[in-house]
Amino acid sequence: MSKKKNISQFRNIGIMAHIDAGKTTVTERILYYTGKSYKIGEVHDGEAVMDWMQDEQDRGITITSAVTTCEWKKSLIQIIDTPGHVDFTVEVERALRVLDGAIGVFCAVGGVEPQSETVWRQADRYSVPRMAFINKMDRTGADFFSAVDSIKEKLNANPVMLQLPMGSEDSFAGAIDLIKMKQIIWDEETKGAEYSEEAIASEFEEMAAEYREKLLESISEVNDEIMEKYLSEEDISSSEMITAIREATISRKIVPVFCGSALKNKGIQPLLDGIEAFLPSPLDVPPIMGIHPETNEELEFLPKKEGPLAALIFKVSMIEGRKLSFARIYSGKMETGSDVFNPILNKKEKLSRILQMHANKRERLKVATAGDIIGVVGLKNSGTGDTLCSQDYPVFLEKMEYEDPVISIAIEPKTHADQEKLDDVLGKFTIEDPTLKVKKDEETGQTILSGMGELHLEIIISRMLKEFKTNVNVGNPQVVYREVLDAKTKGSAVFERDISGKTHYGNVSISLAPINRGKGITFGSKVKDDQAPEHYIAAVEKGIRESLDGGFLKGYPLVDIAIVLEKVSIDDRSSELAFAVCASMACKDALEKASLSLLEPIMEVEIFVPDAYMGDAISDLNARGGKVESINPKMGIQIVKAVVPLAKMFGYSTALRSASQGRGTFTMQFSRFDQV
């Protein structure tokens, strides 16, 4: 790596898209043309640099977000290649939290697909400026303009075309740059490493002039200076256009659109130029805000090397049994061998090593500063979402929120040796993956794994065997239901018992009432401050919440309940323990009198099936209790959107394959919980 660049030259970007739109292939080409890898790794050959995990190579998909660093012209680009499969959206969420900009990769045939919608909305939530790359222009059915329209319609974005494709499908020859008004042709003999800018061929001149005009119109709508020049028909220079596009991209008024075919080595260098020209450096985005742990005062951290340290751990990986934490430094610097402070744990941690990452290879650094995305070895206790700062200037950066798991499997070790390894291996997985939950079933002695989907759990089991040589027997997947109250109910209990020679006493009356779906559990108290100490009220809340977590009907968590503490009675024998136990008994009493229902997870399913197999696909969905919400035809393929109970979707990929002779595909994501 050359000498340290100025922070204004940093570009921290993510590459995000629907599964199979070609994100990893785009990243591989970026690494090749920036001189990071000496050969091009193909996903379909299992050789992609960024897909370094065995399961990623076997399946040809990205599972974990990989971090890499490369240089292009004057910029240092730090890239996170994120997964496209819905089961791994937590990986995308974590990456977007620490990025300054992103590239949405879209397939020229499919346009905006369901998972690209999901990641786009995640990027909206974190206000990340974006560019779009319409990939696979060489594929049969490629339609650049239709893909751009789908960005406008489905994502509510304002796509602005900076390039036009020269032809499509087999005749895709290159791209027309609408700013320079040149055509770009890539040299096939050098695998696209060399390319030439030429005068636009006569057959494309008219179209180029028309879309250049549209480009100027789009920029003038978001920039007053360009608007004045455009209306008075003055010349607008390329550099003025570039400045205006940069400002509008960073303020998220537009999404610049590029095109190409990563697999055919076309379109990557202009995309890199676009990253440098239009996406923000850490200086162009609002400074990170944090909260002082003691005073709750809001603190602002500017991206300066000399400022106080503020860094966020956005991911933890267990590689070869060692813990590697990925962090984004927003302010200040970190030095190898020095101490950092974790305010959440109120502990100091030592930075044994600081690494600049290149997928799973790495380079040691003595110092890392504001703007860097790095790997850190030596953090024993810190986890995903934790803040690292200096003890003299403590701060909490915003923690990340995660969806609850919707599917479970039971596992048990095959041999005694596997038993010994299992807890250790699962411990490593849960450190790495906050959406994986592990609990022991006391009755059966089995370990229950809960995750975001069948593929998520399948890969965990596969990694156990391949990476950790741990064999387990796996029970059938089980749906994780929820329990809800149908109507208000009341309960009370008195607790009076001798424990270790001391009498403990508590007397509690509560009411439980159903509230709107998705509102969780709320707690209120009618008990006045002088009637019971605050820590007794807190013990009551803790006792009830723990009781609801264990469920009542079938042992699933109870949700969407308003708890109200109606009355307590205390005397000199009362204690926190007595009130926690008594509250749990009162909760049980209330639930015994109550009417309860089960909620099940409902999934949004989008199915892509050729016209000829449409009937079979729909009848199979109906048999599974699915409700078809819309059917849209698109170039010989029908796109069916439906909602289906998760319990009926096990083994669906096999059923769809056989119903469509292997030509149907589908995506599925959690929608909501609904009455069984």
Side-chain angles (χ1 to χ4, degrees), residues 8 50 66 89 121 129 138 156 162 216 294 300 335 341 360 367 409 452 473 493 552-554 596 639 642 646 651 662:
S8 65
M50 300 297 276
T89 39
R121 305 268 174 260
D138 59 310
N156 242 346
L162 304 190
L216 286 169
E294 282 145 29
E300 180 181 85
E335 290 183 61
F341 182 63
N360 69 331
V367 180
I409 51 172
M452 303 309 290
N473 293 317
F552 187 78
L553 264 186
K554 305 264 184 183
L596 295 162
I639 303 169
L646 175 61

Side-chain angles (χ1 to χ4, degrees), residues 347-495:
K347 276 185 179 169
K348 273 187 181 176
E349 293 261 46
K350 189 169 250 357
L351 303 169
S352 317
R353 268 184 289 163
I354 298 172
L355 306 167
Q356 186 164 67
M357 301 307 297
H358 175 51
N360 69 331
K361 300 184 183 71
R362 52 204 86 130
E363 185 183 319
R364 291 193 186 198
L365 299 174
K366 284 199 172 74
V367 180
T369 55
D372 276 329
I373 294 177
I374 48 165
V376 179
V377 179
L379 303 177
K380 289 198 174 79
N381 305 301
S382 303
T384 300
D386 285 2
T387 303
L388 300 176
C389 55
S390 72
Q391 201 159 359
D392 308 336
Y393 206 96
V395 63
F396 287 138
L397 299 179
E398 183 194 356
K399 271 191 90 74
M400 303 183 203
E401 301 290 324
Y402 303 114
E403 296 267 350
D404 286 336
V406 293
I407 183 171
S408 297
I409 51 172
I411 60 169
E412 49 191 30
K414 283 192 175 172
T415 66
H416 184 63
D418 293 325
Q419 171 71 63
E420 288 173 357
K421 282 194 275 184
L422 187 61
D423 290 344
D424 179 45
V425 170
L426 289 176
K428 286 175 177 167
F429 283 146
T430 49
I431 288 170
E432 229 181 70
D433 183 351
T435 59
L436 180 72
K437 300 280 185 273
V438 178
K439 69 173 189 183
K440 280 270 193 297
D441 187 325
E442 300 304 334
E443 288 176 24
T444 62
Q446 288 174 314
T447 299
I448 308 295
L449 290 189
S450 305
M452 303 309 290
E454 272 185 287
L455 183 65
H456 184 197
L457 295 178
E458 211 178 284
I459 279 163
I460 293 290
I461 301 300
S462 173
R463 286 185 63 196
M464 269 186 206
L465 185 59
K466 288 176 185 165
E467 286 176 47
F468 298 98
K469 309 289 180 272
T470 308
N471 281 291
V472 289
N473 293 317
V474 181
N476 283 335
Q478 297 293 315
V479 174
V480 180
Y481 293 88
R482 298 283 187 269
E483 299 180 12
V484 284
L485 278 178
D486 294 335
K488 190 172 176 178
T489 178
K490 293 188 172 190
S492 56
V494 178
F495 178 81

Side-chain angles (χ1 to χ4, degrees), residues 131-327:
M131 303 194 319
F133 181 67
I134 310 292
N135 191 26
K136 303 196 176 186
M137 280 305 306
D138 59 310
R139 284 269 300 273
T140 306
D143 186 337
F144 176 72
F145 299 104
S146 162
V148 174
D149 285 345
S150 71
I151 293 174
K152 189 181 284 180
E153 287 158 22
K154 292 189 179 176
L155 303 177
N156 242 346
N158 180 14
V160 172
M161 295 175 247
L162 304 190
Q163 288 185 334
L164 292 179
M166 296 168 65
S168 66
E169 303 182 349
D170 291 345
S171 65
F172 176 61
I176 293 165
D177 181 330
L178 293 174
I179 296 175
K180 294 180 184 169
M181 285 303 270
K182 295 276 186 193
Q183 69 180 31
I184 309 167
I185 305 289
W186 281 268
D187 176 38
E188 295 192 8
E189 281 182 20
T190 60
K191 291 191 172 170
E194 289 179 15
Y195 57 99
S196 57
E197 291 183 354
E198 309 163 352
I200 297 169
S202 55
E203 65 198 276
F204 295 114
E205 273 179 355
E206 197 180 315
M207 180 171 78
E210 180 194 338
Y211 278 93
R212 160 84 174 197
E213 196 63 24
K214 285 185 178 176
L215 171 58
L216 286 169
E217 205 175 291
S218 300
I219 306 172
S220 68
E221 283 169 9
V222 291
N223 186 295
D224 293 342
E225 287 166 34
I226 302 280
M227 171 72 91
E228 277 178 38
K229 284 195 160 190
Y230 180 67
L231 291 176
S232 54
E233 297 185 1
E234 285 177 52
D235 274 351
I236 297 166
S237 71
S238 295
S239 60
E240 286 175 307
M241 287 174 77
I242 288 167
T243 304
I245 293 167
R246 178 176 180 78
E247 283 171 11
T249 306
I250 292 170
S251 57
R252 297 187 302 117
K253 290 176 183 161
I254 66 167
V255 175
V257 181
F258 295 79
C259 66
S261 163
L263 192 63
K264 294 283 162 66
N265 310 315
K266 291 174 185 173
I268 300 301
Q269 295 93 336
L271 183 66
L272 282 161
D273 289 340
I275 292 169
E276 184 173 74
F278 308 125
L279 287 180
S281 79
L283 300 173
D284 299 314
V285 292
I288 189 87
M289 304 301 289
I291 301 285
H292 193 287
E294 282 145 29
T295 63
N296 278 343
E297 173 197 357
E298 205 171 10
L299 305 169
E300 180 181 85
F301 287 85
L302 296 167
K304 289 182 180 169
K305 299 173 188 178
E306 306 76 41
L309 176 64
L312 182 80
I313 299 171
F314 65 95
K315 177 180 164 70
V316 173
S317 276
M318 304 300 292
I319 297 175
E320 293 157 8
R322 310 250 343 240
K323 183 175 170 185
L324 176 64
S325 308
F326 291 90

Side-chain angles (χ1 to χ4, degrees), residues 624-642:
R624 292 169 188 272
K627 288 194 185 111
V628 174
E629 294 189 325
S630 69
I631 299 172
N632 295 309
K634 186 173 181 184
M635 300 188 70
I637 284 179
Q638 299 285 345
I639 303 169
V640 182
K641 284 190 177 181

